Amino acid sequence: MAVLKLAALIAAVIAVPLAAAPMPQAVAPEARWLTVGTVRVAALHDTDFLIPNDGGTFGVDAGVPAVTAVLAAAGAPTDTVRVGVNALLVKLPGHVVLIDTGVGVPASQLMPSLAAAGVKPGDVTDVLITHSHGDHVGGLVTPDGAQAFPNAKVRMSAAEWTFLQANTGAAKLVAAITPQIATFAPGTMVVPGITAMSVAGHTPGHVAYEIVSGKARLLDIGDTAHSTIVSLSKPDWSMGFDSDKAIGKASRRAELTRLAASHEMIFAPHFPYPGVGTIAAKGDGFAWVPATVASFTN
């Protein structure tokens, strides 16, 4: 009965692209801290997905053999693409901010990872949502459908909230979090030190969040890119989860080009945990440069 209840919750609340993927993989909870200027942030591990290389997600306009060749050249398995699911915790004066909430159920490690960071759900004052796909909003509710972060404002762009409300499969989630919702326009500083930046194409209101402290910056790129191998080496290939694939390609290319030039540190929720590093230009594409162990304070 418990398994059936969880399955029903997944179907009702996480009725978005990754819900059709294989079940989340078992991972250990983990929190890794680093500093951005004077601000402390922690990468939280939630789960991993193994996405089949079947032409439905990566390289949908390139074909399976082309994706296979890219994966093989990188020395990676060619039948699946591993995609992490991670969240970002930000501690600011007067605010405990969580950016995205992971899959929620059944294999989510977000809450144990949050506990490893010394934070209780009731401590969170602001939940910032990059976009409303289930692997980013599933953790907004508990397995019984209650608000997971009862003292928090849940902040997402106005366009994304409209998009989520129109998703009939997310009706229970929408009902649960409606009292918490605070919307904004991209370009807004949503909490002191964190500004929402539009990255178009993935969903109608998809945003990245830039954390600024003095001259230091860290950009949570949301779903601008999903794989350190395929998304970076072939940014112009269509991504199956993008609602507007043409705009998604253009946004991905433009944002990766900007990041390769600026060397700004990023947090990529779907890159291998902890998902912190920089983007480098490589040929006609890009490469991932993960942060060194010395970058983390624990």
Side-chain angles (χ1 to χ4, degrees), residues 215-257:
K215 294 183 179 180
R217 296 169 181 266
L218 176 70
L219 180 71
D220 184 327
I221 69 169
D223 277 19
T224 302
H226 290 75
S227 164
T228 56
I229 300 172
V230 184
S231 302
L232 297 189
S233 62
K234 300 294 182 181
D236 303 317
W237 283 358
S238 289
M239 176 34 148
F241 296 155
D242 287 349
S243 58
D244 189 316
K245 293 175 177 54
I247 294 177
K249 288 183 189 183
S251 291
R252 184 161 46 252
R253 167 67 71 174
E255 188 62 13
L256 292 173
T257 298

Side-chain angles (χ1 to χ4, degrees), residues 5-17:
K5 185 176 180 179
L6 285 175
L9 185 65
I10 293 170
V13 173
I14 314 178
V16 289

Side-chain angles (χ1 to χ4, degrees), residues 29-35 40-45 88-89 112-118 273-274 276 291-298:
E30 192 169 358
R32 294 192 198 177
W33 288 96
L34 66 157
T35 58
R40 294 189 74 213
V41 304
L44 307 178
H45 204 178
L88 195 65
L89 178 70
S113 294
L114 195 65
Y273 182 81
V276 178
T292 64
V293 172
S295 302
F296 300 93
T297 57
N298 60 330

Side-chain angles (χ1 to χ4, degrees), residues 156-166 173-175 177-178 181 183:
M156 68 180 76
S157 72
E160 196 65 17
W161 177 233
T162 298
F163 179 60
L164 180 59
Q165 289 175 295
L173 173 62
V174 167
I177 66 172
T178 290
I181 289 292
T183 62

Side-chain angles (χ1 to χ4, degrees), residues 10-97:
I10 293 170
V13 173
I14 314 178
V16 289
L18 280 186
M23 293 298 287
Q25 303 295 298
V27 302
E30 192 169 358
R32 294 192 198 177
W33 288 96
L34 66 157
T35 58
V36 179
T38 60
V39 175
R40 294 189 74 213
V41 304
L44 307 178
H45 204 178
D46 183 47
T47 189
D48 288 346
F49 282 98
L50 293 179
I51 307 297
N53 175 20
D54 58 6
T57 302
F58 290 98
V60 297
D61 51 356
V64 172
V67 176
T68 298
V70 168
L71 294 170
T78 59
D79 58 336
T80 59
V81 179
R82 182 174 285 271
V83 172
V85 180
N86 307 305
L88 195 65
L89 178 70
V90 186
K91 284 196 167 183
L92 296 163
H95 296 267
V96 177
V97 180

Side-chain angles (χ1 to χ4, degrees), residues 92-144:
L92 296 163
H95 296 267
V96 177
V97 180
L98 181 64
I99 303 180
D100 288 334
T101 65
V103 297
V105 291
S108 172
Q109 293 298 316
L110 180 70
M111 289 304 188
S113 294
L114 195 65
V119 173
K120 300 180 178 66
D123 297 335
V124 176
T125 60
D126 304 86
V127 177
L128 311 185
I129 299 299
T130 59
H131 66 292
S132 61
H133 284 167
D135 51 322
H136 297 259
V137 300
L140 282 171
V141 293
T142 64
D144 62 1

